[in-house]
Amino acid sequence: MAEETRDIGTFDYVIVGAGTAGCVLANRLSEDPNTTVALLEAGGNDNYHWIHIPVGYLYCIGNPRTDWGFTTTPQTGLNGRAIGYPRGRVLGGCSSINGMLYLRGQAADYDHWRQLGNVGWAWDDVLPYFIKSEDYYAGADDMHGSGGEWRVEEQRLRWDILDAFRDACIAAGIPASDDFNRGDNLGVGYFKVNQKSGWRWSTSKGFLRPARGRPNLTIITHAQAERLLFDGKRATGVRFDRQGETQTIAARREVLLAAGAIGSPQLMQLSGIGPGNLLQRHGIDVLHEAPGVGANLQDHLQIRCAYKVEGVKTLNTLANSLWGKAMIGLEYAFFRSGPMSMAPSQLSAFAKSSDRVATPDLEYHVQPLSLEAFGQPPHPFPAFTASVCNLRPESRGHVRISSPDPKAHPEIDPDYLSTDGDRAVAAAGIRLTRRIVSQEPLQRYRPQEFKPGPQAVTDADLASAAGDIGTTIFHPVGTARMGTDDAAVVDPALKVKGIEGLRVIDASIMPTITSGNTNSPVIMIAEAAADRIRAGN
């Protein structure tokens, strides 16, 4: 007996994924009252209280209510470890569970995209889109916007140990900075965050909520896309599962994939677009041979250097006592400040791994705490963590379906530290961290390195140690690369090559990863794409 399928209608645009990009697209495209838009989200509503309290990321990552729960393959560069790979599965997507850090990347990132042939994606082209969305706490100027949907504020805290790290960076030759978002992010300072008055600010809050009442926008949650529908080589809709019922939805104009760097290539492969041998191995008919679908995976690997300290307060000691926990809760309840308002990282530095690079290729995420692994309790002694990541990794991995079953997690292989260059930058990052910590502003607290530990000295030692303490900082991109060459998946208008009526609009289109955190660049990508779509390009 054939499975019954319910057709829920036809819309001008069907957006797959109500994450960072999908919420932006839903808002912008439904601004035209004559355009009908449907937004599909595999997860549920963002009414879980831990989404909105900044420290709640600890309870959202790894939680099936809000996270897909992906895991990588065992990584040779991580000495055989497989690691968790969080991706948002809720309205707002990763913006509902991420670190809330507002970074655009460097002007050179986007100028490089243009040099690769992607017309319309240079820094001068994309900056207006960053500004358009922005609601910057200090008001508008030539680099920032005011009154937009994407709230940016200063953090509501400070720590002596973080101030000391900042001063040590300055002593080591890294200049002070109060703004990492003006095109050149060299310097050290506190991150700006996507929060509003001490609460997380997500794309669901900023973009989707103002549009929810529009009669031309339909939002369907708990709708996991299973495959795209086609008429020949034209995308015409989506088949999805909604709480056990198979449903279909049709797109009059276009299907827009905004399922992220994991979900978008997975759905294309399930639908017959991708490497032919992979699809055939799983019994999927090849609609369009596209070897680049799922290839070119790039991510930022953070190397979590940690130091014990003396004579200074850290979150370790505060969080390990009942009195400390009570004070943390009260401070947030009354003032929306303190540790419960903290982003996962508070202080940053952008620096160069060597004199051979033109712009910073290292980013620090510094925290007044240490723990054995994400989600575990802090160590029972005062300590801080200085995570350092290579902003422009050479390593390239992949995302591949592991089964024709849409509910089966794909194979995710970032192939971390797989090149000599990446291993050299990892060693240089640990050495720079040691040089910063050796400066007088931090030495007064008698720091003692325990991760990776002073026994790691040679380049080989340090690269191996990086494999022991390295983990994702949650920035997968590139798996449906934009470009003008034959191997690119989408063109500069983000249309899938060889297929009509289908675009990809999310982090997967990045040809190369941006030099910083990737959430706000995805908002920019969606803003730019919405403009192109509405202009008929």
Side-chain angles (χ1 to χ4, degrees):
M1 182 177 175
E3 179 185 32
E4 289 190 14
T5 300
R6 183 157 71 96
D7 183 358
I8 63 168
T10 301
F11 297 78
D12 290 317
Y13 298 101
V14 175
I15 303 167
V16 180
T20 298
C23 289
V24 177
L25 291 169
N27 180 303
R28 296 300 186 223
L29 296 178
S30 66
E31 285 176 339
D32 179 353
N34 297 314
T35 297
T36 56
V37 180
L39 179 64
L40 306 181
E41 169 53 43
N45 289 313
D46 59 336
N47 54 3
Y48 182 42
H49 67 283
W50 282 121
I51 290 174
H52 308 291
I53 299 170
V55 79
Y57 67 89
L58 289 169
Y59 306 99
C60 292
I61 290 176
N63 182 342
R65 179 171 180 169
T66 49
D67 181 5
W68 282 95
F70 295 132
T71 303
T72 69
T73 60
Q75 296 291 290
T76 301
L78 302 187
N79 302 325
R81 292 185 298 128
I83 59 175
Y85 218 63
R87 296 284 87 198
R89 189 175 187 269
V90 65
L91 291 181
C94 290
S95 76
S96 289
I97 70 170
N98 71 358
M100 299 163 283
L101 304 180
Y102 181 69
L103 279 304
R104 297 172 174 174
Q106 298 169 1
D109 298 334
Y110 304 101
D111 289 342
H112 177 59
W113 291 6
R114 176 62 184 88
Q115 289 300 313
L116 293 174
N118 297 298
V119 175
W121 294 95
W123 174 250
D124 287 346
D125 298 315
V126 304
L127 180 59
Y129 291 112
F130 282 113
I131 293 173
K132 176 181 179 179
S133 297
E134 195 175 25
D135 185 20
Y136 196 61
Y137 75 101
D141 62 18
D142 59 335
M143 286 286 175
H144 290 289
S146 178
E149 294 83 359
W150 197 225
R151 181 64 179 172
V152 181
E153 294 188 350
E154 291 186 299
Q155 296 182 72
R156 302 162 72 89
L157 53 85
R158 62 168 296 278
W159 292 79
D160 288 342
I161 189 65
L162 297 181
D163 290 349
F165 192 93
R166 176 198 60 202
D167 295 344
C169 284
I170 294 169
I174 301 171
S177 174
D178 62 358
D179 189 351
F180 295 127
N181 291 297
R182 304 185 78 84
D184 177 4
N185 51 17
L186 177 67
V188 59
Y190 281 86
F191 284 114
K192 303 298 189 296
V193 291
N194 296 118
Q195 294 182 6
K196 190 167 187 177
S197 302
W199 300 98
R200 172 189 290 276
W201 195 249
S202 67
T203 56
S204 176
K205 288 181 179 177
F207 290 88
L208 198 56
R209 285 186 183 178
R212 289 191 82 135
R214 295 173 185 167
N216 59 330
L217 174 62
T218 300
I219 302 167
I220 307 171
T221 55
H222 303 291
Q224 181 168 347
E226 295 185 331
R227 62 163 297 152
L228 304 173
L229 304 176
F230 297 93
D231 180 3
K233 283 201 168 185
R234 178 176 183 82
T236 58
V238 181
R239 188 185 78 191
F240 61 95
D241 174 86
R242 188 161 196 252
Q243 298 175 317
E245 181 183 42
T246 300
Q247 300 183 6
T248 60
I249 188 168
R252 190 176 293 108
R253 297 183 187 176
E254 290 185 281
V255 176
L256 309 175
L257 295 188
I262 308 302
S264 287
Q266 178 189 21
L267 186 58
M268 282 193 283
Q269 291 171 6
L270 289 168
S271 306
I273 304 170
N277 58 353
L278 171 69
L279 307 187
Q280 290 166 350
R281 190 161 69 244
H282 292 292
I284 296 172
D285 292 337
V286 180
L287 174 71
H288 180 63
E289 171 78 32
V293 174
N296 193 48
L297 174 62
Q298 301 159 57
D299 189 17
H300 289 145
L301 180 75
Q302 61 170 336
I303 301 166
R304 295 180 57 82
C305 303
Y307 292 80
K308 296 180 181 179
V309 289
E310 300 175 13
V312 65
K313 183 175 70 174
T314 75
L315 189 54
N316 285 19
T317 44
L318 202 60
N320 279 320
S321 75
L322 290 176
W323 174 251
K325 289 178 180 176
M327 294 305 295
I328 288 170
L330 288 170
E331 183 175 2
Y332 187 75
F334 284 102
F335 304 109
R336 297 287 179 263
S337 62
M340 288 186 70
S341 74
M342 281 171 52
S345 301
Q346 299 78 47
L347 185 81
S348 185
F350 288 86
K352 299 178 182 180
S353 64
S354 77
D355 293 335
R356 295 187 297 275
V357 296
T359 60
D361 62 341
L362 296 175
E363 179 184 6
Y364 280 90
H365 292 75
V366 190
Q367 304 128 358
L369 75 156
S370 68
L371 35 81
E372 203 57 34
F374 184 85
Q376 295 189 14
H379 289 120
F381 46 77
F384 71 89
T385 301
S387 293
V388 58
C389 71
N390 177 0
L391 289 170
R392 293 189 287 276
E394 300 170 346
S395 298
R396 298 290 185 270
H398 64 255
V399 174
R400 296 174 184 159
I401 54 171
S402 59
S403 164
D405 179 0
K407 292 184 171 60
H409 286 182
E411 176 186 285
I412 301 171
D413 181 5
D415 207 16
Y416 294 119
L417 298 176
S418 59
T419 72
D420 290 342
D422 283 357
R423 289 189 290 272
V425 173
I430 296 172
R431 285 203 170 93
L432 177 58
T433 307
R434 289 173 172 173
R435 185 158 68 85
I436 291 167
V437 173
S438 73
Q439 305 300 314
E440 188 277 331
L442 272 172
Q443 281 298 301
R444 71 184 68 166
Y445 300 126
R446 299 181 183 177
Q448 301 173 54
E449 178 185 321
F450 68 98
K451 286 184 180 293
Q455 73 282 355
V457 176
T458 67
D459 281 358
D461 290 341
L462 294 170
S464 177
D468 288 333
I469 62 175
T471 191
T472 179
I473 206 159
F474 320 130
H475 300 162
V477 308
T479 49
R481 176 174 66 84
M482 171 175 60
T484 56
D485 58 291
D486 292 340
V489 176
V490 300
D491 65 19
L494 309 189
K495 296 178 180 177
V496 175
K497 295 185 174 188
I499 299 290
E500 295 182 10
L502 182 63
R503 299 193 206 219
V504 181
I505 304 168
D506 55 35
S508 63
I509 67 92
M510 294 187 186
T512 51
I513 196 166
T514 54
S515 300
N517 304 59
T518 52
N519 192 66
S520 291
V522 171
I523 292 175
M524 175 277 294
I525 289 167
E527 288 277 26
D531 259 13
R532 286 164 168 78
I533 291 167
R534 292 185 64 169
N537 296 330

